[in-house]
Amino acid sequence: MLTTAINYGTVIDVEEKKQKKLHIGLTGNKITKISDRPLLASRVIDASGLIVSPGFIDVHGHVDGDLYAGELCACQGITTTVGGNCGGSPVDIKAFFDEQEKQGFPIHQAMLIGHETPLRQAVGLRDPYQPAKPGQITLMERLAQKALDDGACGISFGLDYVPGCSLTEVIALAKLCEEYHRICPVHSRLLTDTDIYSLYELIQVARQTGVKMLISHFVYQYCGGLTVPGLQMLDKARREGLDLWIDSGMYTNWTTYFHTPTFDYQNILNNHWQWEQMVVATGKYKGRVMDEELYFRMKEETPRGEAIILFEGYEEEVYDCLVKSYAMPSTDCGAYKKGEGHPQIAGSFPKYFREMVRERKLLSLEEAVYKATLLPATTFGFSTKGSIQMGMDGDLTLFDINKIYDTADYPHLGNPDEKPQGIPYVLVDGVPVVDKGCFMNTRSGRPLRKRPVEKAGCA
Ligand SMILES: [Zn+2]
């Protein structure tokens, strides 16, 4: 007897990019039956009027074991998240995975080892404006190697947060990553908003090392007029054979922490940012538009920093990125308290389907699903995820393409963590984590540890 059957839905075949009227059966955590007749099972879900998609894979998040962030991801249809991005991750990847395995998590988590925290910190580099010395680079390589042996899916960089790090240390770690056939997601080093050189730097790293590189939240880096020239550079570099990919979100207005070099006073001046472009996303000043007095008060009162949203860019640049064949949608979502943060934590994937498919018709439904599922699965080597085939993992997202809707808004305008509409069922390893639109707090998500000996696939 099947554990679960999903009958009468419209299944997206991401390999053939076709819609098919099929009925899906699961036994435990695997897809074990695909039929043109309705199936019997212990639990039968009527998916009439719904799209049955492989679970969405978010290649760029900062969930990193935070339960509320995991809940918000699940509610927007994400069944696998990649954490440890922008150079920030736990130091001990094995301990992180062991703990997640023990306590359980709503969705699956893959993990990167971060260049800034922990690697630079672990070798005593606390000044973001200091490059690493040769001995420190060797030590960082050793620590990164251990993390990759422990199952990290790659090495992440947040060059914006370590403006002084040298290309030598980036290349050394990227080379190591290439030896392991894993991926380097990179948040580029923007000296200012008009710094397209930061992209040349990454292309150079890819060229010298041959590493597979994912340029993180592309629209957040290059919106403000540089998206199109940036994408043209990537088109050319890819024609040259470089293994370059991008992820990109549905908003141009990005968020990061107040205590990072991004919000250093000099950096604000260099970028010509106006105070009113900044809104506080967390803490006691949540929803306040920045002014000079508040800036200096927060510098004194909140040395650990709060999240700040910076408003900039042109909306069209969101679409320019995501129509590219090498682009995947991502959230950049982080861990915040209830009622705080940026709408990307709850609205990214629903906004992607609403705008890109339903309203603007920039992508076909099949293509949009492919970019959110099979494309990230193959890019990261998650070989049992990303498509609805016999024997694949039971990660499924059921949504109504006519109703899917993001209701989250910026903290000075609404609720940044308001859950979306039109995604009634999300299954993680065959277990409904969202059931009839309600979050069930099930913990069937697993750590996705890369196995040391193989070049693709997950444990
Ligand atoms: Zn980042």
Side-chain angles (χ1 to χ4, degrees):
M1 181 80 159
L2 294 167
T3 321
T4 309
I6 297 161
N7 290 335
Y8 305 109
T10 301
V11 174
I12 304 296
D13 180 329
V14 282
E15 274 93 359
E16 291 182 19
K17 294 190 186 163
K18 280 192 179 142
Q19 302 185 21
K20 296 181 175 172
K21 289 279 174 199
L22 289 169
H23 313 276
I24 308 293
L26 294 102
T27 309
N29 67 342
K30 293 284 181 192
I31 296 169
T32 51
K33 202 155 179 120
I34 298 174
S35 165
D36 50 13
R37 290 192 191 164
L39 298 166
L40 287 171
S42 312
R43 167 85 197 267
V44 176
I45 294 172
D46 180 356
S48 312
L50 297 176
I51 301 301
V52 181
S53 163
F56 306 150
I57 298 173
D58 182 10
V59 294
H60 191 101
H62 298 272
V63 172
D64 302 357
D66 182 85
L67 276 171
Y68 188 52
E71 174 179 340
L72 293 175
C73 280
C75 291
Q76 58 171 304
I78 297 164
T79 55
T80 297
T81 183
V82 177
N85 271 294
C86 301
S89 76
V91 62
D92 189 340
I93 295 292
K94 183 180 180 304
F96 174 82
F97 279 149
D98 288 348
E99 194 197 322
Q100 295 303 310
E101 194 141 51
K102 210 164 103 200
Q103 72 177 32
F105 201 71
I107 58 173
H108 304 302
Q109 298 185 85
M111 210 60 189
L112 299 151
I113 181 77
H115 161 238
E116 193 225 344
T117 326
L119 296 183
R120 279 177 61 100
Q121 305 261 336
V123 302
L125 271 164
R126 296 195 183 275
D127 182 349
Y129 297 96
Q130 277 295 317
K133 298 193 178 81
Q136 290 172 315
I137 295 176
T138 311
L139 272 176
M140 284 198 281
E141 284 174 302
R142 257 182 233 153
L143 288 167
Q145 203 165 353
K146 183 180 181 306
L148 294 170
D149 287 335
D150 287 343
C153 60
I155 304 176
S156 82
F157 294 87
L159 301 183
D160 235 358
Y161 304 128
V162 277
C165 87
S166 70
L167 207 51
T168 317
E169 63 187 276
V170 177
I171 286 174
L173 292 168
K175 253 190 202 146
L176 176 70
C177 202
E178 161 55 15
E179 280 163 24
Y180 275 76
H181 296 272
R182 302 216 184 143
I183 194 165
C184 268
V186 188
H187 169 151
S188 60
R189 172 168 20 207
L190 292 174
L191 298 176
T192 68
D193 272 357
T194 52
D195 176 12
I196 199 84
Y197 172 81
S198 58
L199 200 53
Y200 279 107
E201 180 179 56
L202 301 189
I203 291 171
Q204 193 56 20
V205 174
R207 189 178 284 132
Q208 280 195 27
T209 62
V211 75
K212 179 188 282 194
M213 185 183 284
L214 178 67
I215 302 170
S216 301
H217 38 60
F218 198 84
V219 74
Y220 286 162
Q221 301 308 99
Y222 299 106
C223 67
L226 290 185
T227 294
V228 170
L231 291 169
Q232 284 167 350
M233 281 165 60
L234 290 184
D235 290 342
K236 193 160 167 277
R238 282 173 54 87
R239 280 199 297 273
E240 196 189 303
L242 302 187
D243 205 354
L244 292 165
W245 304 84
I246 66 169
D247 68 78
S248 200
M250 288 306 299
Y251 308 82
T252 58
N253 312 314
W254 47 266
T255 182
T256 194
Y257 284 96
F258 192 54
H259 66 277
T260 59
T262 306
F263 288 115
D264 279 356
Y265 194 72
Q266 189 58 48
N267 198 46
I268 291 173
L269 294 181
N270 292 349
N271 279 288
H272 306 285
W273 291 332
Q274 305 299 308
W275 296 117
E276 54 273 20
Q277 279 177 268
M278 297 171 218
V279 170
V280 184
T282 60
K284 76 174 188 185
Y285 300 112
K286 185 197 87 172
R288 280 272 303 271
V289 178
M290 190 64 79
D291 55 47
E292 191 153 8
E293 193 269 329
L294 180 60
Y295 178 86
F296 286 106
R297 190 171 350 141
M298 285 182 64
K299 280 276 166 197
E300 274 183 16
E301 285 180 12
T302 59
R304 280 295 306 134
E306 298 292 350
I308 308 289
I309 300 171
L310 192 119
F311 287 75
E312 66 170 352
Y314 305 102
E315 205 184 352
E316 290 67 32
E317 291 174 300
V318 165
Y319 316 122
D320 292 336
C321 292
L322 284 167
V323 294
K324 285 288 175 187
S325 62
Y326 50 85
M328 292 156 248
S330 66
T331 65
D332 198 19
C333 68
Y336 304 107
K337 293 194 192 111
K338 278 193 177 158
E340 294 191 337
H342 181 296
Q344 68 196 6
I345 60 180
S348 298
F349 279 81
K351 193 171 185 332
Y352 168 73
F353 283 100
R354 172 172 70 79
E355 291 191 355
M356 301 298 291
V357 178
R358 187 170 76 223
E359 293 177 359
R360 295 177 178 262
K361 300 183 174 42
L362 294 166
L363 294 174
S364 69
L365 173 61
E366 298 86 331
E367 182 70 16
V369 167
Y370 163 77
K371 288 161 81 70
T373 57
L374 187 59
L375 180 59
T378 49
T379 305
F380 277 77
F382 302 148
S383 54
T384 56
K385 303 201 179 292
S387 92
I388 299 176
Q389 298 282 350
M390 294 287 282
M392 296 294 270
D393 293 344
D395 300 337
L396 297 166
T397 296
L398 279 59
F399 63 97
D400 186 334
I401 188 60
N402 298 312
K403 290 188 184 148
I404 193 165
Y405 198 86
D406 46 297
T407 47
D409 210 339
Y410 294 100
H412 60 313
L413 303 173
N415 295 326
D417 58 349
E418 196 158 309
K419 289 174 181 170
Q421 295 163 3
I423 311 177
Y425 298 97
V426 180
L427 277 71
V428 173
D429 254 6
V431 180
V433 62
V434 175
D435 198 340
K436 295 180 184 155
C438 295
F439 178 68
M440 303 307 287
N441 204 18
T442 47
R443 305 281 176 92
S444 54
R446 288 179 294 119
L448 301 184
R449 300 177 209 247
K450 280 278 175 185
R451 288 193 287 261
V453 284
E454 65 173 3
K455 295 177 180 174
C458 260

